[in-house]
Amino acid sequence: MTPRQVARRLAYTAFMAVVLAFFAVPMLWLASAPFDSDPGLGLRWPDWTLTNWQVTFEHPYALSSLVNSVVLCVVATAVTTVFATLAAYTLSRVRIPGRDALLYVLLLLSSVVTGTAAMVPIFVMMFQLGLTNSQYATGLVIAGGLLPAAIFILKDFVDSVPRSYEESARVFGASPTQVLLHVVLPVARPGIATILVWAFVQAWGNFLLPFLLMRDVSSQPAAVLLRTLRDEGGSANLTVIPVFSLLYAIPVVALYLFVSKRYGFRFHGGIKA
Amino acid sequence: MAGIELAGVSTVYPNGVRAVDALDLTVADGEFFALLGPSGCGKTTLLRTIAGLEQASSGSVSIGGADVTRLEPGVRKVAMVFQDYALFPHMTVSENIAYPLRVRRAPKPERAETAARTAAGLGLAGLLERRPAQLSGGQQQRVALARAMAMSAEVLLLDEPLSNLDARLRLEARTFLKRLQRDLGLTTVFVTHDQAEALAMADRIAVMSEGRIRQLGSPRDVFQRPADTFVANFIGSTPMNLLPAQVRNGRVEVAGAHLDPGGPHPDAPVTVGIRPEYLHEAPEGITGTVSIVENLGVTSLVTLECPQDVTVGLTVPEHEEPPVGSVLTVAPRPGRLLLYDSDTGQLT
Ligand SMILES: Nc1ncnc2c1ncn2[C@@H]1O[C@H](COP(=O)(O)OP(=O)(O)OP(=O)(O)O)[C@@H](O)[C@H]1O
Ligand SMILES: [Mg+2]
């Protein structure tokens, strides 16, 4: 190796180390701070203890907010996945004039519907309907915001399922429901799995809508509670936050691993001889 | 009894393409019927109309004597093998074959038993647990056939089932399909754009173009006496000679020669059709210079440059090829010369 090459090698390695450290530090903090007797915002070898966990479990809202989050996300994810699948299948197979325009308009509006611009109308509407402080209602609103993008992505998946699969099932006497259950859903399953995880992650991390629609602290999901975890002085409660953050991260990772293992994000694809 | 009867069937696509045009056709019970035609002539559409995947815009479709024009595909008791086989990628071979039974909610053991039996009959016994993606093209074709057979329908529709196979496998599959059809006595409609396949396998052939049937008959009829110049061009592995000619005083004047029309014919401009296989060397006839010799295996195709800018092809047995540049005089075998009206292209 020429000195020049060595220098380049060194520079490259150093650069990668910096990049890696940049991404690794928050992860390491998440792994160490919950077990540190005096957690700070910096990274250090912990002074091992489990007191933080005890304090967090005794916090009046910490655990219940995680349960609230799960309820809200299950509602939002289920509604998004089921309706997006049905809508994507229909839009993919039925010929209606202006179908593509409709999809683009929906997609455009979706960023407005749950976007900041529509916050006030949404709040007023939900308030007058008496649906504030309800995980179910908030889940529905979130699903409404996710649906257009979900339909858009899923339609692409369903489009790529060859029609001849369905036609051959029909020739063998399958009813429309059987065609959907036996052929379309299994073949589009990796796409549906993708949407499911995506919807869950979106709903899990959504702060603005629950913050707005859930004024009652006991009904707030984790994403909202995390922001309000402060001690009496108003500074961040560093005993609870690390543990809570770790707990908050677990469901998303677990769901991803489960879905990836069980359903796979792969696509079977058509058969070409 | 499950013959197919089409009366005045037209199928028009939403974009206005009239893919099948006022077509009448009767396929007898147990017959092996081939639909032959160039790409885009409406073969697949006709097959789909019989299966019920497309609605006939007018006319009626009957199967086994019952009018099924407005019935859903599932209740027509018609099995179909698609051009791409349409095997379900997420199911095993066994589940694929038994799918028609699953639709009828047959119990699992019965399904597995039927799948195993049908698969064994088609030489798929060891492959039951594989997925379609793990099979060769020929195996996929047999799975698709097995699935169609498991439906135990009396009518079988095949859309270019052999087109995905290589030449060798295709020949084997031909024999295999034909024997299978004989054994089961299924009424079979077979779509192909390969004329050799149709000639080899079918009891009767319909040659289609632009949504209509140009000629209907036995393979021999269609090969020996094409009804018009379109069919004449399409049928035969070597293209038929179609030469501009004139009938005068009961003789056909073509490329400087005078040939016997094989019967009385009024004086008129005509197109002479002669198959290369039916031309042979003769003392009197069309004279030309050998320009190209192509080896076809047992025979060779010789191209002659004749007077009046006409080229004529003929086949000669192996080892009898004339040298390029030599002069040859050829005449059709008696009764093998066809005359087509030069305006309408119809056989006269
Ligand atoms: N879904 C459709 N919508 C509109 N037009 C169609 C549709 N399918 C086929 N066509 C048109 O109908 C005509 C007949 O098509 P068809 O598929 O029946 O031809 P084919 O004889 O099967 O051809 P190939 O040998 O290429 O399969 C063609 O002109 C085609 O462009
Ligand atoms: Mg076709």
Side-chain angles (χ1 to χ4, degrees), chain A residues 32 43 67 107 165 205 217 220 225 228 241 270:
Chain A
S32 66
L43 189 61
V67 175
L107 197 62
Y165 292 175
V217 188
Q220 281 174 349
L225 191 78
T228 56
I241 285 180

Side-chain angles (χ1 to χ4, degrees), chain B residues 107-126:
Chain B
K108 275 219 167 109
E110 185 191 332
R111 285 191 231 159
E113 196 267 324
T114 307
R117 184 163 35 79
T118 317
L122 296 181
L124 293 165

Side-chain angles (χ1 to χ4, degrees), chain B residues 40 43-45 83 159-160 191:
Chain B
K43 307 179 296 288
T44 299
T45 310
Q83 189 169 353
D159 193 357
E160 309 205 18
V191 163

Side-chain angles (χ1 to χ4, degrees), chain B residues 288-309:
Chain B
T289 316
V290 176
S291 64
I292 300 170
V293 178
E294 292 165 63
N295 191 341
L296 304 179
V298 216
T299 57
S300 290
L301 180 65
V302 175
T303 306
L304 294 182
E305 300 292 339
C306 302
Q308 296 164 15
D309 261 350

Side-chain angles (χ1 to χ4, degrees), chain A residues 15-269:
Chain A
F15 173 73
M16 286 315 285
V18 170
V19 171
L20 267 180
F22 185 78
F23 286 104
V25 164
M27 297 289 170
L28 289 173
W29 181 84
L30 200 58
S32 66
F35 305 97
D36 196 336
S37 60
D38 181 23
L41 290 173
L43 189 61
R44 62 168 195 159
W45 186 250
D47 180 14
W48 297 99
T49 172
L50 285 177
T51 353
N52 298 339
W53 291 79
Q54 200 187 344
V55 174
T56 307
F57 287 164
E58 281 165 4
H59 189 278
Y61 302 118
L63 291 187
S64 65
S65 79
L66 283 166
V67 175
N68 292 340
S69 270
V70 170
V71 172
L72 182 134
C73 289
V74 166
V75 170
T77 307
V79 170
T80 306
T81 311
V82 170
F83 284 93
T85 305
L86 296 176
Y89 179 50
T90 312
L91 284 171
S92 164
R93 294 304 190 240
V94 176
R95 242 168 227 291
I96 38 173
R99 174 186 67 185
D100 291 341
L102 176 81
L103 271 171
Y104 281 109
V105 168
L106 268 181
L107 197 62
L108 189 74
L109 285 182
S110 74
S111 49
V112 179
V113 167
T114 39
T116 332
M119 282 302 127
V120 175
I122 285 178
F123 176 75
V124 172
M125 182 176 82
M126 298 305 276
F127 184 77
Q128 289 182 346
L129 288 170
L131 289 176
T132 48
N133 290 325
S134 155
Q135 280 97 26
Y136 303 106
T138 310
L140 272 182
V141 175
I142 292 178
L146 296 179
L147 264 172
I151 294 171
F152 199 78
I153 299 168
L154 257 185
K155 182 180 161 287
D156 243 24
F157 265 95
V158 180
D159 278 346
S160 66
V161 177
R163 258 167 206 257
S164 59
Y165 292 175
E166 288 162 63
E167 289 174 342
S168 95
R170 280 177 64 204
V171 167
F172 296 126
S175 66
T177 323
Q178 285 177 319
V179 172
L180 187 69
L181 292 180
H182 296 168
V183 179
V184 180
L185 290 188
V187 178
R189 194 169 69 176
I192 297 171
T194 308
I195 289 301
L196 190 136
V197 172
W198 174 79
F200 191 90
V201 170
Q202 293 289 315
W204 190 258
N206 196 321
F207 167 77
L208 196 56
L209 267 171
F211 178 69
L212 202 76
L213 296 175
M214 314 261 230
R215 305 312 301 167
D216 181 2
V217 188
S218 66
S219 63
Q220 281 174 349
V224 177
L225 191 78
L226 189 57
R227 225 199 67 135
T228 56
L229 288 174
R230 296 174 189 284
D231 55 24
E232 297 76 32
S235 60
N237 181 346
L238 283 177
T239 320
V240 176
I241 285 180
V243 177
F244 192 73
S245 304
L246 190 58
L247 290 174
Y248 180 67
I250 287 172
V252 172
V253 176
L255 180 75
Y256 175 83
L257 291 179
F258 172 74
V259 171
S260 157
K261 197 169 169 79
R262 179 88 171 70
Y263 299 104
F265 294 102
R266 286 159 288 118
F267 189 56
H268 282 297

